[in-house]
Amino acid sequence: MLRNLLSHDLPRSRVLAALLIVTVLGLLATPFLFPGTKPMNVAAKALVFIVLVASYDLLLGYTGIVSFAHTLFFGIGAYGVAIASHRMGPGWDAVLLGAGAALLASLLLSLVIGLASLRVKAIFFAMITLAVASAFLTLASQLSDFTGGEDGLNFKVPELLRPATVFLDEPLFGVDVDGRLLSYYGLCAAVAVLVLLMLRIVNSPFGRVLQAIRENSFRAEAIGYRTVVYRTLSNVLAALFATLAGVLLALWLRYVGPETAMSFEIMLDILLIVVIGGMGTVYGAVIGSVLFVLAQNYLQDLMRLAQGPLADVPVLGAITSPDRWLLWLGVLFILSVYHFPTGIVGKLRTQKS
């Protein structure tokens, strides 16, 4: 049953299997193991990034397409729900309408981008997507009446997902069973479904053709596959999954702004996670997203705890300051690339179990 659930794409490594089990169980148990707002927010961000990064890996890792417009579709999903909920009021009808409109917009836009641009060489396609993403980021920042501009949009979610909605009078294992907890486990369920769906896609005959195009597009074309069609479909699927990730982010944050959904910093994070986790594997998105988000949120705290003995040392005290956490995050990234050139998952899969 597990083999069918994972589309016959097993970890193929005991260490990787154990790491995936620990990761999944850790995400499921976060509200009970680490009480407080920050741990749950960090875990929720990691869950959203799993879908977002896996959807981008469908483009880069499986098809060999470099795109810088992925956060555009991520933002469309987030803004779709935010705008609909802000104008129509809290309710499932607004959520469904916003998500549906966002998916339709992403479908049409990704189709246009794919058909118009995928015939050109890779670097030119990447530049075109960068230009399109920049244009939409500017629009999101300037259309204040529609998107809230630089301030973004705050909105209310349906009553069932609000923290004020309490389902049990007494806490369960010290945790309040409320709408926020329901939102978290709803997010977990949605991410699990989307990841399994992406596993099904990449391990289907369609996914095998994408990998053939990645390896040698000329040979794939020669044996009868319309590479432009398959690349366009890959672009559309990746955009739709990124849009759904944006919907999940909006429902969790109850706020959407240009910096939270469409910034180029997010695009850089996606690229880093794909490289860290391993290109061409959905499991890499799971491991890479969790490790990166944890480092992004807790590395500064760890440095603050470890700085004590070095605080008065002239040079070491400066470079180990918590304010230098981005420097050390870069060092960790360089070390991970050096020791795991094919990503963590790629490295573990090549090792003997």
Side-chain angles (χ1 to χ4, degrees):
M1 179 180 176
L2 180 62
R3 183 182 295 270
N4 291 330
L5 193 64
L6 298 177
S7 302
H8 300 275
D9 188 2
L10 299 178
R12 302 199 298 270
S13 165
R14 292 180 182 176
V15 177
L16 177 58
L19 190 58
L20 287 169
I21 291 172
V22 170
T23 300
V24 171
L25 292 179
L27 289 171
L28 290 174
T30 292
F32 297 95
L33 293 179
F34 309 101
T37 303
K38 182 176 179 179
M40 194 181 293
N41 284 331
V42 171
K45 182 179 179 181
L47 286 166
V48 171
F49 263 79
I50 287 173
V51 177
L52 182 60
V53 173
S55 66
Y56 187 71
D57 199 36
L58 185 63
L59 271 181
L60 181 61
Y62 285 94
T63 318
I65 297 173
V66 179
S67 171
F68 293 117
H70 211 59
T71 50
L72 163 62
F73 304 110
F74 184 56
I76 287 176
Y79 270 109
V81 172
I83 292 171
S85 299
H86 183 74
R87 292 180 178 271
M88 297 174 59
W92 291 109
D93 55 342
V95 173
L96 292 175
L97 179 61
L103 286 170
L104 180 60
S106 293
L107 172 64
L108 296 175
L109 186 59
S110 61
L111 190 60
V112 170
I113 292 175
L115 291 176
S117 307
L118 283 173
R119 291 181 180 273
V120 301
K121 292 184 179 180
I123 185 63
F124 297 108
F125 175 74
M127 292 300 100
I128 289 172
T129 58
L130 180 61
V132 173
S134 301
F136 274 83
L137 177 60
T138 302
L139 286 176
S141 301
Q142 294 183 353
L143 296 178
S144 301
D145 295 335
F146 193 61
T147 64
E150 294 288 349
D151 295 330
L153 288 175
N154 289 293
F155 63 95
K156 294 182 179 180
V157 295
E159 187 175 357
L160 193 66
L161 304 180
R162 298 178 192 174
T165 303
V166 180
F167 299 103
L168 294 179
D169 295 333
E170 297 294 330
L172 180 65
F173 300 112
V175 177
D176 293 330
V177 182
D178 53 17
R180 197 62 169 165
L181 189 66
L182 178 64
S183 297
Y184 180 78
Y185 283 109
L187 177 61
C188 289
V191 169
V193 170
L194 293 175
V195 167
L196 291 176
L197 183 56
M198 280 186 273
L199 271 175
R200 178 66 268 173
I201 290 172
V202 299
N203 289 289
S204 67
F206 172 78
R208 300 304 182 193
V209 175
L210 295 183
Q211 294 174 56
I213 293 172
R214 176 196 66 194
E215 295 299 326
N216 194 319
S217 62
F218 295 104
R219 184 174 296 175
E221 186 85 35
I223 61 178
Y225 292 110
R226 296 288 302 277
T227 57
V228 172
V229 173
Y230 279 91
R231 282 174 171 169
T232 302
L233 289 175
S234 175
N235 193 50
V236 170
L237 286 173
L240 294 179
F241 279 112
T243 302
L244 291 174
V247 170
L248 296 176
L249 177 74
L251 289 175
W252 177 258
L253 291 181
R254 294 166 289 170
Y255 164 81
V256 175
E259 294 301 318
T260 61
M262 300 183 75
S263 71
F264 289 111
E265 290 182 6
I266 299 176
M267 190 67 242
L268 292 176
D269 291 346
I270 295 171
L271 289 169
L272 291 176
I273 294 171
V274 167
V275 173
I276 292 170
M279 290 191 291
T281 166
V282 175
Y283 298 126
V286 178
I287 301 299
S289 297
V290 172
L291 290 178
F292 184 84
V293 172
L294 284 175
Q296 197 176 47
N297 286 273
Y298 288 108
L299 182 59
Q300 190 173 18
D301 295 334
L302 290 175
M303 289 178 64
R304 188 175 290 111
L305 291 175
Q307 192 196 19
L310 302 174
D312 297 329
V313 180
V315 178
L316 292 178
I319 63 175
T320 58
S321 170
D323 296 333
R324 303 287 189 272
W325 71 275
L326 274 175
L327 168 66
W328 290 103
L329 185 63
V331 171
L332 290 175
F333 171 71
I334 294 171
L335 290 175
S336 67
V337 172
Y338 180 78
H339 291 286
F340 303 96
T342 57
I344 295 174
V345 173
K347 180 72 172 180
L348 292 177
R349 279 186 161 179
T350 56
Q351 290 180 339
K352 294 182 179 180
S353 300

